[in-house]
Amino acid sequence: AAALVAGATAFLTNIFVARIMPPAVQQYQGIMVIAGTGGALVGTLLFWVAWAGVFFVLTLFFQGKGSFRRTLAVTGYGYLPMVIGSAVSLAIFWVFSPGIRVAPVTSMEEIQSAVAALTHHPVMILSGILGIIFLLWAANIWIFGIRYARGLTLRNAAITVGVPVALYVIFVVWSLGGPA
C-alpha cells in the first residue's frame, strides 16, 4: 500500500515537474513519469527491507533473538501510518499544486534552481513535516514490534528504532532547510 501511494505521488509530481521543463526535456515526459513512478514503487519496497535490515543488525548488539522474516513483518506493520501520511500529502499536493507557481525552465542550467524552488515551496515543506510526524508514529509501532519480534527490552527496542529514525529525521529536516 505504501508503494502504491508513493507511486501515485511520484506520478503526480513528475507530471507537474515535466510541465516546467524546457522543450528538450518535455519530449521525455513519458519516460520521466514512468521512471519516477517505478522508482517510487521499488524504492518504497527497498526502504522497507532497508529499515528492517538496520533494525535487525542493531538488535544483534542487544542479543536479539528471532528471525529476519519476523523483523520484516513488524517493520511492514509500521508502514501503516506512513501510508496514511503519504495519502494525506498526496491529497494536499493534488489540491494545492495548481497554485504552485514555478517559472518555466528555458535552459538546462535553470533546472536546478527550479527544482530547488519547488522543493522549498510551502506545500512541499508541509509534506515533509507531515512525513516526519507519520514516521514518528511508525517508529512507535516499530519499537513495540521489534521488542516482541526480537525479544528485546523496551529500552533496547527504543534505541534500535530511535537511532536510525532520528538520523533520518535530521537528514529530512536538513534537506527542507537547505538553500532555496
Side-chain angles (χ1 to χ4, degrees), residues 108-128:
M108 297 301 283
E109 293 78 28
E110 295 175 347
I111 290 175
Q112 185 176 2
S113 62
V115 170
L118 180 61
T119 303
H120 291 87
H121 190 279
V123 170
M124 299 309 237
I125 291 172
L126 175 61
S127 179

Side-chain angles (χ1 to χ4, degrees), residues 76-104:
Y77 296 135
Y79 260 81
L80 179 60
M82 290 191 288
V83 171
I84 296 167
S86 295
V88 169
S89 291
L90 176 61
I92 289 171
F93 186 76
W94 180 268
V95 169
F96 291 104
S97 65
I100 298 175
R101 300 286 176 240
V102 178

Side-chain angles (χ1 to χ4, degrees), residues 12-83:
L12 197 68
T13 304
N14 280 306
I15 288 174
F16 179 84
V17 169
R19 289 189 310 208
I20 65 168
M21 292 294 143
V25 176
Q26 284 184 357
Q27 67 183 350
Y28 301 106
Q29 177 179 356
I31 294 169
M32 285 173 47
V33 170
I34 291 169
T37 304
L41 288 166
V42 172
T44 301
L45 296 173
L46 291 176
F47 248 80
W48 168 39
V49 174
W51 279 115
V54 168
F55 297 153
F56 188 83
V57 168
L58 290 176
T59 60
L60 294 175
F61 292 106
F62 301 113
Q63 287 79 40
K65 295 174 180 40
S67 69
F68 178 72
R69 185 176 177 155
R70 183 88 172 124
T71 303
L72 195 60
V74 299
T75 304
Y77 296 135
Y79 260 81
L80 179 60
M82 290 191 288
V83 171

